[in-house]
Amino acid sequence: EESDEPRRAQTTSARIRDALTHDRLRLASQPIRSLSSGGIERYELLLRMTGEDGELLPAASFIEVAERSGMVQELDRWVVARALEMMAERERAGDPVSLHMNLSGASMTDISVLEFIERRLDEGGADPSRCTFEITQTARVEDFDTAGAFADRLTEFGCEVAIDDYGSGFSPFAYLKKVPF
């Protein structure tokens, strides 16, 4: 019996492409509470894709296919662009917000993604000190030196880099040595 996995991946890949092309991606925000004050000081942005029935699908249902098909960097660029636009709008309105955005391991080693982020920060009016880029501990990072240089550049811009889901996997601790979390 043949597996449906390749067909499912192809269908999911087509849905991702369609979502990118037809603006069917959304950002949900999850509040991050301060342990000391109890107040909400930041928000983590969570990527969602609108399904055929209008339901918002969590990233877990499509991100692995996006990674395998080479579309994850496009998704990361989409998230960064929307997040920085949101931040700039809130700053102009006098109600600044600090946001956390997830980056894939593939993006952390792709210089074109770094250049995209730098351009958007230069042009957009968002305060880099309010931007935190998170990389999950279980992300597949092929080149820790490049990922470290990527993160160094973000911190030079004034952004923060954080580990997401720390303790959820058994990734090499090279992250801690090479990336300025």
Side-chain angles (χ1 to χ4, degrees), residues 3 8 23 25 35 51 59 77 89 101 108 116 122 159 180-181:
S3 168
R8 231 185 339 262
D23 196 31
L25 296 170
L35 292 177
R77 283 184 186 95
E89 286 173 16
M101 298 159 259
M108 289 286 292
F116 175 83
D122 277 339
C159 302
F181 291 113

PDB file of all heavy atoms in Angstrom, residues 3 8 23 25 35 51 59 77 89 101 108 116 122 159 180-181:
ATOM      1  N   SER A   3       1.944   5.145   0.424  1.00  0.00           N
ATOM      2  CA  SER A   3       1.671   6.189   1.406  1.00  0.00           C
ATOM      3  C   SER A   3       1.039   7.394   0.725  1.00  0.00           C
ATOM      4  O   SER A   3       1.359   7.717  -0.415  1.00  0.00           O
ATOM      5  CB  SER A   3       2.980   6.591   2.080  1.00  0.00           C
ATOM      6  OG  SER A   3       2.802   7.771   2.814  1.00  0.00           O
ATOM      7  N   ARG A   8      -0.075  14.323  -0.019  1.00  0.00           N
ATOM      8  CA  ARG A   8      -0.474  15.299   0.999  1.00  0.00           C
ATOM      9  C   ARG A   8       0.506  16.464   1.032  1.00  0.00           C
ATOM     10  O   ARG A   8       0.111  17.623   1.117  1.00  0.00           O
ATOM     11  CB  ARG A   8      -0.545  14.627   2.375  1.00  0.00           C
ATOM     12  CG  ARG A   8      -1.842  14.878   3.086  1.00  0.00           C
ATOM     13  CD  ARG A   8      -1.904  14.335   4.497  1.00  0.00           C
ATOM     14  NE  ARG A   8      -0.998  13.290   4.874  1.00  0.00           N
ATOM     15  CZ  ARG A   8      -1.291  11.986   4.896  1.00  0.00           C
ATOM     16  NH1 ARG A   8      -2.477  11.578   4.544  1.00  0.00           N
ATOM     17  NH2 ARG A   8      -0.402  11.095   5.269  1.00  0.00           N
ATOM     18  N   ASP A  23      -3.003  36.170  -0.279  1.00  0.00           N
ATOM     19  CA  ASP A  23      -3.155  36.803   1.035  1.00  0.00           C
ATOM     20  C   ASP A  23      -4.047  35.995   1.976  1.00  0.00           C
ATOM     21  O   ASP A  23      -4.990  36.509   2.560  1.00  0.00           O
ATOM     22  CB  ASP A  23      -3.684  38.236   0.875  1.00  0.00           C
ATOM     23  CG  ASP A  23      -3.501  39.040   2.141  1.00  0.00           C
ATOM     24  OD1 ASP A  23      -2.530  38.786   2.881  1.00  0.00           O
ATOM     25  OD2 ASP A  23      -4.338  39.925   2.405  1.00  0.00           O
ATOM     26  N   LEU A  25      -2.712  34.288   4.568  1.00  0.00           N
ATOM     27  CA  LEU A  25      -1.938  34.082   5.789  1.00  0.00           C
ATOM     28  C   LEU A  25      -2.376  35.121   6.811  1.00  0.00           C
ATOM     29  O   LEU A  25      -2.743  36.236   6.448  1.00  0.00           O
ATOM     30  CB  LEU A  25      -0.439  34.220   5.509  1.00  0.00           C
ATOM     31  CG  LEU A  25       0.154  33.185   4.567  1.00  0.00           C
ATOM     32  CD1 LEU A  25       1.571  33.568   4.180  1.00  0.00           C
ATOM     33  CD2 LEU A  25       0.124  31.795   5.190  1.00  0.00           C
ATOM     34  N   LEU A  35       6.862  38.083  34.451  1.00  0.00           N
ATOM     35  CA  LEU A  35       6.769  37.364  35.720  1.00  0.00           C
ATOM     36  C   LEU A  35       6.854  38.320  36.905  1.00  0.00           C
ATOM     37  O   LEU A  35       6.273  38.076  37.952  1.00  0.00           O
ATOM     38  CB  LEU A  35       7.876  36.316  35.824  1.00  0.00           C
ATOM     39  CG  LEU A  35       7.749  35.139  34.860  1.00  0.00           C
ATOM     40  CD1 LEU A  35       8.958  34.208  35.003  1.00  0.00           C
ATOM     41  CD2 LEU A  35       6.465  34.376  35.114  1.00  0.00           C
ATOM     42  N   GLY A  51      -7.637  27.917   5.807  1.00  0.00           N
ATOM     43  CA  GLY A  51      -7.960  26.690   5.079  1.00  0.00           C
ATOM     44  C   GLY A  51      -9.093  26.923   4.097  1.00  0.00           C
ATOM     45  O   GLY A  51      -9.679  28.006   4.030  1.00  0.00           O
ATOM     46  N   ALA A  59       0.532  26.833  12.263  1.00  0.00           N
ATOM     47  CA  ALA A  59       1.753  26.610  11.486  1.00  0.00           C
ATOM     48  C   ALA A  59       2.203  25.152  11.543  1.00  0.00           C
ATOM     49  O   ALA A  59       2.754  24.638  10.572  1.00  0.00           O
ATOM     50  CB  ALA A  59       2.857  27.535  11.978  1.00  0.00           C
ATOM     51  N   ARG A  77       9.748  35.770   5.568  1.00  0.00           N
ATOM     52  CA  ARG A  77       9.753  37.146   5.053  1.00  0.00           C
ATOM     53  C   ARG A  77       8.365  37.775   5.204  1.00  0.00           C
ATOM     54  O   ARG A  77       8.238  38.944   5.562  1.00  0.00           O
ATOM     55  CB  ARG A  77      10.172  37.176   3.576  1.00  0.00           C
ATOM     56  CG  ARG A  77      11.646  37.011   3.348  1.00  0.00           C
ATOM     57  CD  ARG A  77      11.954  37.146   1.848  1.00  0.00           C
ATOM     58  NE  ARG A  77      13.328  36.851   1.578  1.00  0.00           N
ATOM     59  CZ  ARG A  77      13.791  35.660   1.195  1.00  0.00           C
ATOM     60  NH1 ARG A  77      12.968  34.639   1.042  1.00  0.00           N
ATOM     61  NH2 ARG A  77      15.075  35.495   0.967  1.00  0.00           N
ATOM     62  N   GLU A  89       3.091  51.066  12.524  1.00  0.00           N
ATOM     63  CA  GLU A  89       1.766  51.680  12.668  1.00  0.00           C
ATOM     64  C   GLU A  89       1.477  52.007  14.126  1.00  0.00           C
ATOM     65  O   GLU A  89       0.983  53.090  14.449  1.00  0.00           O
ATOM     66  CB  GLU A  89       0.680  50.742  12.129  1.00  0.00           C
ATOM     67  CG  GLU A  89       0.638  50.646  10.631  1.00  0.00           C
ATOM     68  CD  GLU A  89      -0.338  49.574  10.148  1.00  0.00           C
ATOM     69  OE1 GLU A  89      -1.193  49.111  10.935  1.00  0.00           O
ATOM     70  OE2 GLU A  89      -0.224  49.199   8.966  1.00  0.00           O
ATOM     71  N   MET A 101       8.958  37.190  16.843  1.00  0.00           N
ATOM     72  CA  MET A 101       8.675  36.504  15.584  1.00  0.00           C
ATOM     73  C   MET A 101       9.555  35.269  15.497  1.00  0.00           C
ATOM     74  O   MET A 101      10.732  35.334  15.833  1.00  0.00           O
ATOM     75  CB  MET A 101       9.013  37.405  14.395  1.00  0.00           C
ATOM     76  CG  MET A 101       8.216  38.667  14.319  1.00  0.00           C
ATOM     77  SD  MET A 101       9.078  39.888  13.299  1.00  0.00           S
ATOM     78  CE  MET A 101       9.790  40.913  14.592  1.00  0.00           C
ATOM     79  N   MET A 108      17.777  31.396   9.194  1.00  0.00           N
ATOM     80  CA  MET A 108      18.930  31.851   9.986  1.00  0.00           C
ATOM     81  C   MET A 108      20.255  31.624   9.279  1.00  0.00           C
ATOM     82  O   MET A 108      21.282  32.123   9.721  1.00  0.00           O
ATOM     83  CB  MET A 108      18.957  31.146  11.347  1.00  0.00           C
ATOM     84  CG  MET A 108      17.879  31.572  12.309  1.00  0.00           C
ATOM     85  SD  MET A 108      18.148  33.197  13.012  1.00  0.00           S
ATOM     86  CE  MET A 108      19.594  32.935  14.027  1.00  0.00           C
ATOM     87  N   PHE A 116      16.873  41.188   3.793  1.00  0.00           N
ATOM     88  CA  PHE A 116      15.465  41.586   3.763  1.00  0.00           C
ATOM     89  C   PHE A 116      15.070  42.235   5.089  1.00  0.00           C
ATOM     90  O   PHE A 116      14.459  43.310   5.126  1.00  0.00           O
ATOM     91  CB  PHE A 116      14.583  40.357   3.484  1.00  0.00           C
ATOM     92  CG  PHE A 116      13.111  40.631   3.543  1.00  0.00           C
ATOM     93  CD1 PHE A 116      12.448  41.152   2.444  1.00  0.00           C
ATOM     94  CD2 PHE A 116      12.393  40.388   4.704  1.00  0.00           C
ATOM     95  CE1 PHE A 116      11.089  41.417   2.505  1.00  0.00           C
ATOM     96  CE2 PHE A 116      11.040  40.646   4.769  1.00  0.00           C
ATOM     97  CZ  PHE A 116      10.376  41.165   3.667  1.00  0.00           C
ATOM     98  N   ASP A 122      15.418  49.347   8.166  1.00  0.00           N
ATOM     99  CA  ASP A 122      15.885  50.666   7.718  1.00  0.00           C
ATOM    100  C   ASP A 122      14.748  51.523   7.187  1.00  0.00           C
ATOM    101  O   ASP A 122      14.687  52.724   7.432  1.00  0.00           O
ATOM    102  CB  ASP A 122      16.939  50.520   6.602  1.00  0.00           C
ATOM    103  CG  ASP A 122      18.331  50.275   7.146  1.00  0.00           C
ATOM    104  OD1 ASP A 122      18.586  50.592   8.322  1.00  0.00           O
ATOM    105  OD2 ASP A 122      19.161  49.748   6.383  1.00  0.00           O
ATOM    106  N   CYS A 159      18.062  44.439  17.698  1.00  0.00           N
ATOM    107  CA  CYS A 159      17.048  43.408  17.940  1.00  0.00           C
ATOM    108  C   CYS A 159      17.559  42.411  18.978  1.00  0.00           C
ATOM    109  O   CYS A 159      18.742  42.387  19.303  1.00  0.00           O
ATOM    110  CB  CYS A 159      16.747  42.646  16.644  1.00  0.00           C
ATOM    111  SG  CYS A 159      16.185  43.672  15.277  1.00  0.00           S
ATOM    112  N   PRO A 180      24.058  34.541  19.765  1.00  0.00           N
ATOM    113  CA  PRO A 180      23.941  35.417  20.935  1.00  0.00           C
ATOM    114  C   PRO A 180      22.513  35.511  21.463  1.00  0.00           C
ATOM    115  O   PRO A 180      21.836  36.519  21.304  1.00  0.00           O
ATOM    116  CB  PRO A 180      24.417  36.767  20.392  1.00  0.00           C
ATOM    117  CG  PRO A 180      24.004  36.739  18.954  1.00  0.00           C
ATOM    118  CD  PRO A 180      24.184  35.313  18.525  1.00  0.00           C
ATOM    119  N   PHE A 181      22.038  34.437  22.105  1.00  0.00           N
ATOM    120  CA  PHE A 181      20.677  34.436  22.643  1.00  0.00           C
ATOM    121  C   PHE A 181      20.621  35.309  23.876  1.00  0.00           C
ATOM    122  O   PHE A 181      21.546  35.358  24.649  1.00  0.00           O
ATOM    123  CB  PHE A 181      20.233  33.015  23.002  1.00  0.00           C
ATOM    124  CG  PHE A 181      20.029  32.132  21.815  1.00  0.00           C
ATOM    125  CD1 PHE A 181      20.864  31.052  21.583  1.00  0.00           C
ATOM    126  CD2 PHE A 181      19.009  32.382  20.916  1.00  0.00           C
ATOM    127  CE1 PHE A 181      20.683  30.233  20.486  1.00  0.00           C
ATOM    128  CE2 PHE A 181      18.827  31.568  19.829  1.00  0.00           C
ATOM    129  CZ  PHE A 181      19.657  30.483  19.611  1.00  0.00           C
TER     130      PHE A 181
END
